[in-house]
Amino acid sequence: MRIAQVGPGIMPIPPDGWGAVEMLIWDYYQILTKQGHDVEIINTPDRNKIVDAIWAGDFDAVHIHYDVFHDIFKQIDHPCLIVSSHYPFLNTPQMWSRDNYHAVMRTYSNNKNFYVLASSKKDINTFVTCGANPDRVFMSRLGVRPEPYAFHDEPRYDRTLCFSQITDRKRQYLIQDYEDVDFMGRLEYGRFKNHQNYFGEVPREFLNHEITKYSNFTLLSEVENTTPLVVKEALICGLGVVVSESVAVELDEQPFIRVIPERLINNDKYIRNALKDNREASRKYRKEIREYGIQKFGLENILANEYIPTIEKLLA
């Protein structure tokens, strides 16, 4: 099958630093190619070049990962045009005016010439509630390619790692004064001021080998569409996780997973104890944690068992 993967055109694919969507597209490319598909990445902000490349490409399916390009969907006019949203506030309508997302959602509500591929049931509900044709909305979860990540049976540090874009939405500021938590990721703006345990936007290759050295991982986001890829990466590296309710959407009840109730998100003592208890509990489950992460979130399985069968159904 010949498939186009369309990126935002904001940074290179593969990314030379952090970029969740860009890394996801690169993982799609590598795994789908390995599975025998012919995949081409189109990654430019120039809408005319996108349309031209799609028309010239003779693709069986076209998958756009950046719905800011919604204004060219009609121009593309491809029988198997698939669109995914990675907009973090998709399920928070009060934020749409700030980001001019109402215009994007109006396009989704008239999805006669394209299919929507959502990453969670919550996203599907939002699309359908806003008027999208439910017969043209499907789901394929987001996953992680395990190969780039190192794994150790034992952690090197009795510390918690938080690697992610650092913004108020992800609420790292709540734990920025914790002496046993290290932070890595692009610092955007907001209330996070601690630079003592902040290591910056470290190179991806370094991060991929560093994650497994920690005892556990935490992310306490206020809003997420689904469980972020960084959580899935941490699990594949053998780390227990302490997360907020919005982050835990896809997670199961496990001895190495701790979900902080939203009503306790500002309870400093509770969160400190939760991090400490999870660090201690997770040490004896390292192999089980990794196996759980791969079985549930391994991208190779997801693409083979969810993504490709969905496209085959659309082409039938």
Side-chain angles (χ1 to χ4, degrees):
M1 189 183 304
R2 181 158 164 76
I3 308 171
Q5 300 286 335
V6 182
I10 297 172
M11 61 179 69
I13 297 177
D16 48 16
W18 296 57
V21 175
E22 289 78 10
M23 184 58 67
L24 180 70
I25 292 173
W26 181 241
D27 286 348
Y28 271 47
Y29 173 82
Q30 294 191 90
I31 293 173
L32 290 172
T33 300
K34 182 180 177 182
Q35 292 176 351
H37 301 283
D38 182 8
V39 183
E40 181 175 325
I41 295 174
I42 301 170
N43 188 44
T44 172
D46 188 317
R47 286 160 166 78
N48 292 328
K49 290 182 179 179
I50 294 171
V51 174
D52 290 344
I54 291 172
W55 284 354
D58 193 26
F59 298 106
D60 297 302
V62 175
H63 188 177
I64 297 178
H65 291 267
Y66 194 53
D67 55 13
V68 172
F69 295 144
H70 69 99
D71 53 321
I72 62 170
F73 291 172
K74 289 184 178 180
Q75 289 177 251
I76 293 172
D77 192 27
H78 190 282
C80 191
L81 174 60
I82 301 165
V83 180
S84 290
S85 175
H86 301 288
Y87 176 55
F89 295 107
L90 177 65
N91 302 299
T92 313
Q94 58 267 33
M95 298 297 293
W96 294 356
S97 295
R98 187 197 70 173
D99 300 322
N100 196 30
Y101 203 74
H102 286 286
V104 180
M105 192 53 72
R106 282 194 294 270
T107 302
Y108 279 117
S109 69
N110 189 30
N111 62 324
K112 296 177 181 178
N113 72 315
F114 65 93
Y115 299 97
V116 180
L117 192 62
S119 59
S120 70
K121 292 180 180 178
K122 185 166 64 171
D123 290 2
I124 289 177
N125 291 335
T126 296
F127 288 126
V128 173
T129 299
C130 290
N133 182 346
D135 294 333
R136 300 180 70 86
V137 180
F138 301 87
M139 189 176 99
S140 180
R141 294 174 300 124
L142 302 181
V144 175
R145 186 169 61 94
E147 287 78 7
Y149 300 94
F151 171 71
H152 300 158
D153 290 342
E154 296 287 338
R156 179 178 296 181
Y157 314 130
D158 184 25
R159 300 181 63 78
T160 298
L161 177 63
C162 178
F163 64 97
S164 178
Q165 182 185 38
I166 298 178
T167 70
D168 284 355
R169 175 174 67 86
K170 295 181 181 289
R171 298 195 292 203
Q172 289 96 338
Y173 63 84
L174 290 174
I175 57 172
Q176 63 180 324
D177 295 327
Y178 290 17
E179 63 283 348
D180 50 7
V181 180
D182 291 336
F183 302 90
M184 300 179 189
R186 184 168 66 248
L187 180 58
E188 288 292 314
Y189 57 83
R191 289 185 270 180
F192 185 87
K193 306 298 181 184
N194 178 13
H195 294 283
Q196 182 175 353
N197 295 336
Y198 172 58
F199 292 86
E201 189 175 350
V202 300
R204 235 316 153 173
E205 187 174 351
F206 171 83
L207 179 66
N208 291 350
H209 287 83
E210 192 72 6
I211 297 171
T212 192
K213 297 177 183 178
Y214 283 81
S215 296
N216 68 347
F217 168 87
T218 188
L219 188 65
L220 303 176
S221 304
E222 180 179 9
V223 176
E224 296 287 358
N225 296 337
T226 188
T227 298
L229 291 175
V230 290
V231 180
K232 301 170 183 180
E233 291 169 350
L235 290 166
I236 283 175
C237 292
L239 279 64
V241 299
V242 178
V243 297
S244 61
E245 291 180 352
S246 70
V247 170
V249 176
E250 295 180 69
L251 302 181
D252 305 299
E253 185 174 339
Q254 297 284 350
F256 46 82
I257 295 174
R258 180 74 174 269
V259 181
I260 305 296
E262 193 62 26
R263 60 184 173 80
L264 295 174
I265 203 69
N266 292 302
N267 188 320
D268 183 76
K269 182 178 180 180
Y270 182 87
I271 294 178
R272 286 181 184 272
N273 288 336
L275 292 173
K276 180 181 178 182
D277 292 346
N278 182 263
R279 281 199 301 271
E280 295 174 355
S282 298
R283 285 178 175 272
K284 59 184 177 182
Y285 293 110
R286 297 277 289 192
K287 291 182 180 179
E288 290 85 352
I289 296 171
R290 177 172 171 80
E291 183 64 22
Y292 171 80
I294 292 174
Q295 288 298 319
K296 190 172 181 68
F297 301 119
L299 187 57
E300 190 166 341
N301 293 335
I302 291 173
L303 292 182
N305 299 319
E306 297 179 25
Y307 184 78
I308 291 299
T310 296
I311 294 179
E312 290 174 340
K313 180 179 179 180
L314 300 182
L315 293 172

